Amino acid sequence: MYSGNFDYDVIIVGAGISGLAAAYTIHEKDSNISFLVLEGNDRIGGRVQSTLINVGKSEKELLDIGGQFIGTQQTHLMTLLKKLDIKLYENVNNRGYTLGDFCEGNFYKTTTMPPIFGDTATAQDIMQFLGTLESMSSKVSLENPLTIDDYTDLDSMTMEAFMYNNLSYSFSRSYIRILIKMMCGAEPSDISVLFFLVFCNSTEGLTNSYLRTKSGGKGYWAKNTAAEICEKIATFIGNENIKINNAVAAITRSDICVLVRTAENEYKCRYVIMALPPEHILKVHFFPPLNDLKYTVLKRMQYRPTVKYIVTYRREFWRDMDYNGDLYCCRNLRELFPIMTAYNVSRDGTAVITGLLDVDLAEKKENHKNAVLTQLAAYFGREALEPLDYVEKSWSDDTYFFDSCAVCFPPPKMMKTFTEIRRPLGRLYFAGAETATYWYGHMAGAAQAGFRAAIEVLYELRPQCLTAQDFIDLKPRRTQLQFYSTEEHAMRNDWIVVVEFCENPVVMGVARRKPHISDINRVRRLEFVRKYENEECGFWDKADEAKVVRCIFTILINCLASILFIRTVSNG
């Protein structure tokens, strides 16, 4: 198997946001590293895709029919967009009422953000429930979901049962149900309370993932569609390093190399990054096979079909009724009321509404145009029946991808082993939105997972090209740490070294200085905790050591100058 020659240093399987982000990171850190991106589809982008649609101008324009929305707190994705010079549209369509239609057939409207519907009693019931979830989610994370008390019970209980135990009104349960389906692409009966808590934690809170504000998860979208992100990455890394229509059939790995086989070729490389949805990873034949724990986690991952639609009009006629065009709906007669969400993404003189249809309908109809337009007309008037264009995409019909904004999710009783989904196996590493620990399932999560997998590979392949900041950036910006170089902190040099092998933190003892990452091999994460106030302070590198030396030297010079001044005054 090993002859001493490699075709590539790294092969990345999957050319979605995650795989391309991994390729971008590797090429950015060291352009001499050879790599190849293999994609089974006839295009790059994965769950990001654009489509031409009539917007009332001389030519059709591209709009997002896959993943679309972006938030400023999605720091890994925002950093990538800045490097690629991707222009964004800010959501300025919040003026007016947001509509809600929940089971009873009565329409509700609100101007609150997040949108809360119903009378005073139901609104208070919903807010109290959201507050409970926010408080509980702050105690867990995808890095370690077992830090909360009674995690076993929470992983055994479904969100459906939790809703019935903690919500007093059917209206409240309908509202929370639509939020869960919109955020996770899952029915409340499909997921455990613990998974939903860590999901909310990864998105900076439950409500943050669907807020249409600057800091919310749906505050922006790419001006030239999200597909531009993939196109610009492809240009940066070189289109010659991407091969489409090359589905990977088998991967054979040893301690010294990896063989990747497609229908037409065989490649030998040092490392492989798998950036595919769980279902497609299982379609690849691995030799030796995946270990039982990882195989079980991948096999048990669930998904529900998702349908996204786009409707364009000549004007924003809903403004005549002081509506902003956003809608949340949960009706029992789903064949007649297929819309789950609607978002006004109008810009530059165009009138555009997009959203998701109820996931249970994806396999029942080929097209929902008439039902969607009829439902919009019930809310916004008969002008909704006269669109310029209508497009929808069922991601369950796509050969390679299952969903757009929604994502695969684990069933109850699996969170104890869920971290296995991103654990490396020898020279095999894993990316993809389902392996993200920040903004799980979103484009931002895909970018973060690709960045993380690339850093893991580079740490083994070319560690000299990495800096301490690269390891700090692996963690979400909400916990990103600052170095201390002031006199107060520079003189405190007792540090507790916490080394996390895989998922289990181990206190290794007290060090007289903060070690460099290269001091310890094969670690998943390092934290340096200041002993005095148990305050995390980040990684230590030569630059910071020099800062402290300069700081101490400055203090000594100042002390010496003070002594000389005092003696001069005394002698005078």
Side-chain angles (χ1 to χ4, degrees):
M1 177 178 176
Y2 177 64
S3 63
N5 297 318
F6 294 93
D7 298 309
Y8 298 96
D9 291 318
V10 184
I11 287 181
I12 300 166
V13 184
I17 288 282
S18 198
L20 292 175
Y24 181 95
T25 303
I26 291 172
H27 189 62
E28 180 188 40
K29 291 296 178 183
D30 191 337
S31 59
N32 292 318
I33 295 176
S34 61
F35 64 90
L36 178 67
V37 181
L38 295 174
E39 171 58 52
N41 211 337
D42 59 358
R43 62 176 181 84
I44 64 173
R47 286 169 273 195
V48 170
Q49 187 178 1
S50 59
T51 184
L52 284 171
I53 191 168
N54 180 15
V55 294
K57 297 182 180 180
S58 57
E59 296 181 356
K60 290 186 176 182
E61 292 188 5
L62 287 171
L63 295 178
D64 288 299
I65 197 67
Q68 177 175 4
F69 293 109
I70 300 166
T72 55
Q73 291 183 341
Q74 299 172 352
T75 51
H76 299 93
L77 181 59
M78 291 296 290
T79 300
L80 180 61
L81 299 185
K82 184 177 180 181
K83 292 178 180 178
L84 297 173
D85 193 28
I86 301 292
K87 306 300 182 185
L88 302 179
Y89 280 119
E90 180 185 342
N91 177 42
V92 293
N93 299 314
N94 289 333
R95 177 178 55 83
Y97 291 102
T98 299
L99 288 179
D101 186 2
F102 302 98
C103 295
E104 293 89 347
N106 297 320
F107 304 159
Y108 297 86
K109 59 183 182 180
T110 182
T111 57
T112 62
M113 189 59 66
I116 301 296
F117 303 95
D119 55 27
T120 303
T122 55
Q124 184 176 358
D125 192 31
I126 292 170
M127 291 300 294
Q128 184 174 352
F129 184 77
L130 293 178
T132 299
L133 288 176
E134 294 281 12
S135 176
M136 294 174 67
S137 68
S138 66
K139 301 175 183 178
V140 293
S141 69
L142 275 165
E143 292 94 337
N144 187 356
L146 309 182
T147 55
I148 192 172
D149 295 337
D150 302 324
Y151 66 83
T152 302
D153 295 337
L154 292 174
D155 196 27
S156 300
M157 180 184 296
T158 66
M159 276 303 297
E160 187 75 31
F162 190 76
M163 286 162 50
Y164 272 92
N165 292 341
N166 293 275
L167 289 168
S168 303
Y169 304 98
S170 61
F171 180 93
S172 305
R173 290 189 286 271
S174 296
Y175 176 77
I176 298 299
R177 181 172 290 107
I178 198 65
L179 292 187
I180 294 173
K181 292 169 70 175
M182 174 184 64
M183 294 165 60
C184 303
E187 290 284 352
S189 57
D190 293 333
I191 58 176
S192 70
V193 178
L194 185 57
F195 170 73
F196 190 65
L197 292 178
V198 297
F199 180 94
C200 294
N201 178 274
S202 78
T203 61
E204 300 281 16
L206 189 157
T207 58
N208 193 54
S209 65
Y210 65 91
L211 281 180
R212 301 264 283 153
T213 60
K214 288 184 178 181
S215 61
K218 290 180 167 57
Y220 295 84
W221 59 93
K223 185 174 183 179
N224 295 318
T225 77
E228 183 188 21
I229 303 171
C230 301
E231 293 166 2
K232 285 197 171 185
I233 292 178
T235 301
F236 176 79
I237 66 176
N239 286 284
E240 67 278 6
N241 293 318
I242 303 174
K243 291 189 177 183
I244 61 174
N245 294 315
N246 269 266
V248 172
I251 293 178
T252 303
R253 57 188 174 87
S254 71
D255 292 337
I256 52 180
C257 67
V258 184
L259 290 180
V260 179
R261 296 185 181 91
T262 67
E264 299 178 355
N265 298 291
E266 179 177 283
Y267 306 98
K268 183 183 295 183
C269 63
R270 301 177 190 274
Y271 298 95
V272 169
I273 295 176
M274 300 295 294
L276 296 176
E279 182 74 12
H280 287 292
I281 293 178
L282 294 177
K283 292 181 179 180
V284 178
H285 297 284
F286 291 95
F287 305 98
L290 301 176
N291 63 49
D292 291 342
L293 199 55
K294 183 176 285 291
Y295 178 83
T296 300
V297 170
L298 293 171
K299 185 70 174 178
R300 294 186 64 196
M301 291 292 284
Q302 308 174 87
Y303 71 93
R304 283 182 174 269
T306 300
V307 180
K308 185 174 181 179
Y309 69 94
I310 306 173
V311 193
T312 60
Y313 293 98
R314 291 178 178 82
R315 68 185 190 94
E316 297 181 70
F317 52 86
W318 48 86
R319 295 292 186 187
D320 298 343
M321 296 176 281
D322 202 21
Y323 296 147
N324 61 25
D326 289 359
L327 166 70
Y328 299 89
C329 179
C330 182
R331 296 292 296 272
N332 292 326
L333 300 175
R334 293 170 174 171
E335 290 79 5
L336 299 177
F337 302 93
I339 295 177
M340 181 167 61
T341 58
Y343 301 113
N344 180 8
V345 291
S346 303
R347 76 286 188 277
D348 294 343
T350 64
V352 185
I353 286 181
T354 187
L356 299 178
L357 304 184
D358 193 292
V359 292
D360 291 336
L361 295 176
E363 299 175 351
K364 296 182 180 180
K365 290 184 180 181
E366 293 184 359
N367 192 284
H368 308 81
K369 178 178 179 180
N370 292 333
V372 169
L373 297 181
T374 301
Q375 188 174 355
L376 290 175
Y379 306 127
F380 303 138
R382 294 191 59 81
E383 198 169 345
L385 298 173
E386 302 174 357
L388 290 172
D389 207 348
Y390 177 90
V391 175
E392 73 176 46
K393 179 176 177 63
S394 174
W395 284 84
S396 59
D397 296 336
D398 194 291
T399 306
Y400 290 93
F401 303 98
F402 298 106
D403 46 43
S404 54
C405 305
V407 20
C408 301
F409 48 88
K413 300 181 181 180
M414 205 177 85
M415 291 308 295
K416 190 172 183 178
T417 58
F418 185 60
T419 54
E420 191 68 28
I421 197 169
R422 62 180 178 273
R423 192 187 305 278
L425 285 178
R427 293 177 175 269
L428 193 61
Y429 292 79
F430 295 86
E434 289 78 15
T435 70
T437 56
Y438 194 47
W439 287 92
Y440 179 95
H442 295 71
M443 288 194 299
Q448 184 247 359
F451 174 73
R452 184 258 309 150
I455 295 299
E456 288 177 332
V457 168
L458 290 172
Y459 184 65
E460 300 295 335
L461 179 64
R462 203 68 55 83
Q464 62 269 28
C465 74
L466 298 176
T467 67
Q469 190 62 40
D470 294 324
F471 293 94
I472 295 175
D473 288 342
L474 286 176
K475 301 189 72 175
R477 190 63 54 87
R478 63 171 181 262
T479 57
Q480 191 157 336
L481 311 171
Q482 299 296 323
F483 292 113
Y484 292 103
S485 59
T486 63
E487 294 83 353
E488 177 185 1
H489 293 88
M491 300 305 293
R492 297 179 178 179
N493 59 354
D494 284 343
W495 301 83
I496 298 176
V497 184
V498 181
V499 184
E500 184 174 335
F501 289 91
C502 300
E503 301 297 333
N504 301 315
V506 180
V507 177
M508 302 299 292
V510 177
R512 298 305 299 178
R513 67 176 183 87
K514 289 189 292 184
H516 188 267
I517 183 68
S518 60
D519 292 342
I520 303 174
N521 294 323
R522 304 295 299 174
V523 298
R524 290 284 151 251
R525 183 165 63 91
L526 283 177
E527 286 180 347
F528 302 100
V529 184
R530 188 154 61 81
K531 184 178 179 181
Y532 291 92
E533 298 173 2
N534 199 33
E535 179 180 356
E536 295 184 66
C537 294
F539 290 93
W540 184 259
D541 62 10
K542 295 296 182 182
D544 296 284
E545 190 171 340
K547 289 180 183 179
V548 174
V549 171
R550 289 195 300 269
C551 177
I552 295 174
F553 181 74
T554 302
I555 294 174
L556 293 175
I557 293 297
N558 290 336
C559 291
L560 181 60
S562 299
I563 293 173
L564 292 175
F565 177 77
I566 293 172
R567 287 186 176 181
T568 302
V569 172
S570 300
N571 294 334

